[in-house]
Amino acid sequence: MGTSVIFKNTLIRKIFMSLTGLFIAFFLIIHLLGNFQLLLPYEQAHLQYNWYSHLLSHNIIIEIIAYVLYATLIIHILDALLITLENRKSNGQGLKVDKRGVNSSWFSRNMGILGVIILLFLILHFKDYWYMYKFGNIPVDEKGNKDIFLIVHESFKQGWYVAIYIVAFIALGFHLAHGIWSAFRTLGVYNKWYIKLTKYIGITFAILMSLGFAIIPAIIYLKNL
Amino acid sequence: MNVTLKVWRQKNSKSKGHFETYKLNDLNPDMSFLEMLDVLNEQLIHEDKIPVEFDSDCREGICGQCGLTINGRPNGHHHHTTTCQMHMRHFEDGDTILVEPLRASAFTVIKDLKVDRSAMDRIMQAGGFVSVHTGSAPDANSLPIGKMDAEDAFDSAACIGCGTCIATCKNSSAALFTSAKITQLATLPQGEIEREKRVVAMVDAMDAEGFGSCTNTEACEMECPQEISVTNIARMNFEYNRALLLGKK
């Protein structure tokens, strides 16, 4: 099969979308579990989180996985863009008056908008933490690890910053609520019982992830009021 | 009852269309939407104007030939219905009703409300059949098929090819239509021989016609007059992925 077929085929495009999406979703679990360390008592969280960040950034295997993840994200975004543009072309001139929205959920139709919100959040997130950690001039803690905890902790004292995070996690929740089971459908799960199961898993996962990620900045903010 | 109609008028596939407004008075609320359009056309003929072109055949909700976008929704504001099964009693006296053709870039407007849906025929021609020797009818039950499989295949076969799923999809995806036939034949032993070849050929044909990707909004099932399930799309994905993995074409 030539590469041209891969990019022209409406089903294969979706397979890329689902596999990359599921991989990113799996990463979210690991990321959330790691971040829960931020909620430990202050002193313990401080040293442990910095130690954890040091561990992640100095392990070759984790580094490789990280680059695979970045590549996955980029494929997910580019594929989404391609699908959206092609679908728009398929829709042609469209309806002059369009009331078709009543037939489906808002978030299933607007995965792109939700995705853009998440992408904007990621840019901010990478700039403030990832870039700072890798290239920024940040202090070290008493164990000699870069004090990323302090930066995170300080940023979550700002109400507007926490608000941006929470909005992004709500968008993430809706993105996952459609994305997870939709990915399974694209992969061909057609048994009625499994369809129900993947819908339950998808929605439960979406709620857990968006709630889990949102309570971390919220709790740190409230603790410091 | 009285209604104001805003109808899409387009001379041919090349010309730019526009809405034209017509007033209809003293309509019987029990007439179907198509009968109301017949009344409009009679009125236009009396006025020496060109009548509005639209498709229709059985007018019993069976054939799938009619199909209009009414007030921004294919086949109007009722779920699971064809345009001919919309009746004027479903509207209020004095309503303004907007009538457009079914829209998708693969559906070219031929004239007014009439669109060319032959793209769907070409998908069918690519693989929506089984190659068997015809001849005298085989003995009943010579080919055992489980009750549930027979039911599932029949549910998929109920698709009337009206194009509502495509017109209601924000991506103009033909996934529900194409998958219904693929599923029907993949469920039955008769379809087994060409199973992989069929799904690849039909998906290729669907793409060649310029239909979009399915993004699983499930709007198609909500509007489908035959209530064809989106599970068919899942089955099509399974069949396609299976064919890819097996490398058979």
Side-chain angles (χ1 to χ4, degrees):
Chain A
M1 186 186 300
T3 44
S4 62
V5 178
I6 292 177
F7 292 113
K8 273 184 194 152
N9 188 299
T10 52
L11 263 55
I12 293 179
R13 270 185 223 143
K14 289 299 311 269
I15 295 174
F16 276 109
M17 213 57 205
S18 64
L19 291 177
T20 51
L22 288 176
F23 183 72
I24 300 165
F26 178 70
F27 158 77
L28 287 180
I29 305 173
I30 315 286
H31 192 37
L32 180 61
L33 291 177
N35 281 5
F36 274 138
Q37 295 173 93
L38 287 166
L39 296 179
L40 291 168
Y42 187 87
E43 277 313 314
Q44 195 188 347
H46 193 170
L47 293 177
Q48 189 169 326
Y49 196 74
N50 288 341
W51 164 82
Y52 173 71
S53 302
H54 183 85
L55 176 84
L56 292 188
S57 56
H58 289 82
N59 184 312
I60 181 74
I61 293 177
I62 291 175
E63 200 139 350
I64 292 170
I65 295 173
Y67 281 106
V68 171
L69 183 71
Y70 303 149
T72 309
L73 259 174
I74 291 167
I75 295 172
H76 194 74
I77 294 164
L78 291 180
D79 198 21
L81 206 64
L82 180 74
I83 291 173
T84 309
L85 291 177
E86 289 291 321
N87 283 349
R88 222 169 258 179
K89 222 193 288 170
S90 301
N91 215 281
Q93 60 167 316
L95 290 165
K96 301 297 163 230
V97 172
D98 196 341
K99 298 253 174 70
R100 295 176 299 174
V102 292
N103 291 324
S104 53
S105 57
W106 182 88
F107 57 94
S108 74
R109 276 177 282 121
N110 292 288
M111 290 294 275
I113 292 175
L114 295 168
V116 168
I117 296 174
I118 297 165
L119 179 62
L120 290 175
F121 160 77
L122 279 180
I123 293 169
L124 179 77
H125 190 60
F126 267 65
K127 175 189 140 307
D128 286 353
Y129 304 142
W130 183 84
Y131 183 82
M132 274 300 272
Y133 196 86
K134 290 239 165 185
F135 309 105
N137 206 357
I138 59 173
V140 288
D141 67 7
E142 56 198 62
K143 292 260 171 75
N145 293 323
K146 283 190 180 178
D147 205 348
I148 188 71
F149 175 82
L150 194 71
I151 292 177
V152 174
H153 201 262
E154 286 304 309
S155 57
F156 288 161
K157 282 181 180 171
Q158 300 153 278
W160 63 272
Y161 199 82
V162 173
I164 291 177
Y165 267 58
I166 290 174
V167 168
F169 297 142
I170 292 171
L172 176 72
F174 280 111
H175 199 76
L176 291 171
H178 180 70
I180 299 292
W181 75 260
S182 179
F184 283 111
R185 171 157 299 167
T186 301
L187 294 178
V189 174
Y190 71 86
N191 175 297
K192 282 182 184 116
W193 192 83
Y194 283 133
I195 288 177
K196 248 187 205 167
L197 185 72
T198 53
K199 281 201 178 182
Y200 280 126
I201 289 174
I203 288 169
T204 313
F205 184 78
I207 294 170
L208 287 179
M209 287 300 124
S210 80
L211 216 64
F213 277 113
I215 55 167
I216 296 171
I219 288 178
I220 293 177
Y221 176 72
L222 292 174
K223 265 189 190 171
N224 287 292
L225 273 181
Chain B
M1 65 189 289
N2 305 328
V3 294
T4 307
L5 281 180
K6 284 189 171 175
V7 183
W8 185 259
R9 301 302 306 260
Q10 188 172 333
K11 208 170 167 192
N12 54 48
S13 59
K14 290 189 181 67
S15 64
K16 250 183 123 184
H18 63 281
F19 281 107
E20 238 170 78
T21 309
Y22 305 102
K23 282 199 185 304
L24 288 180
N25 299 324
D26 302 323
L27 293 170
N28 183 338
D30 290 328
M31 60 173 55
S32 77
F33 199 84
L34 299 181
E35 283 167 336
M36 180 274 293
L37 289 178
D38 291 338
V39 171
L40 167 70
N41 277 346
E42 274 175 33
Q43 191 175 304
L44 288 174
I45 290 166
H46 277 300
E47 292 167 4
D48 228 14
K49 288 179 183 159
I50 301 168
V52 178
E53 288 268 350
F54 62 91
D55 271 323
S56 75
D57 194 0
C58 75
R59 298 200 174 200
E60 292 179 313
I62 299 168
C63 76
Q65 191 61 36
C66 59
L68 302 169
T69 309
I70 304 166
N71 287 335
R73 275 179 66 181
N75 304 330
H77 57 274
H78 280 190
H79 291 311
H80 310 309
T81 188
T82 51
T83 295
C84 63
Q85 295 307 298
M86 281 299 285
H87 289 82
M88 293 318 290
R89 58 177 174 271
H90 300 134
F91 299 89
E92 299 288 328
D93 188 24
D95 268 2
T96 299
I97 306 169
L98 205 88
V99 195
E100 276 185 79
L102 297 180
R103 300 276 194 200
S105 67
F107 290 168
T108 325
V109 175
I110 300 170
K111 192 172 194 273
D112 299 333
L113 304 172
K114 207 177 186 142
V115 292
D116 177 7
R117 283 173 282 187
S118 59
M120 298 165 79
D121 299 336
R122 288 188 290 274
I123 295 175
M124 240 1 126
Q125 284 159 9
F129 51 81
V130 284
S131 302
V132 289
H133 289 295
T134 50
S136 57
D139 276 347
N141 299 328
S142 61
L143 195 60
I145 298 168
K147 170 76 174 157
M148 287 314 290
D149 283 344
E151 290 290 342
D152 284 346
F154 189 76
D155 285 346
S156 301
C159 170
I160 52 178
C162 61
T164 302
C165 50
I166 296 161
T168 205
C169 176
K170 75 178 183 73
N171 311 321
S172 300
S173 166
L176 191 67
F177 165 74
T178 310
S179 66
K181 187 52 72 179
I182 289 170
T183 305
Q184 180 211 331
L185 296 175
T187 312
L188 297 172
Q190 289 94 331
E192 186 63 32
I193 305 152
E194 291 150 306
R195 189 173 168 188
E196 295 86 15
K197 204 174 138 192
R198 173 182 307 109
V199 63
V200 173
M202 288 184 78
V203 168
D204 284 350
M206 175 174 87
D207 290 348
E209 296 296 341
F211 293 110
S213 284
C214 168
T215 54
N216 298 321
T217 68
E218 302 193 334
C220 50
E221 183 183 307
M222 293 295 284
E223 288 290 29
C224 175
Q226 295 299 101
E227 303 184 41
I228 301 291
S229 166
V230 283
T231 316
N232 288 287
I233 299 176
R235 180 66 188 254
M236 171 175 74
N237 293 336
F238 172 82
E239 292 296 329
Y240 191 78
N241 298 346
R242 181 179 171 276
L244 278 188
L245 289 173
L246 296 177
K248 289 187 190 172
K249 273 205 175 184

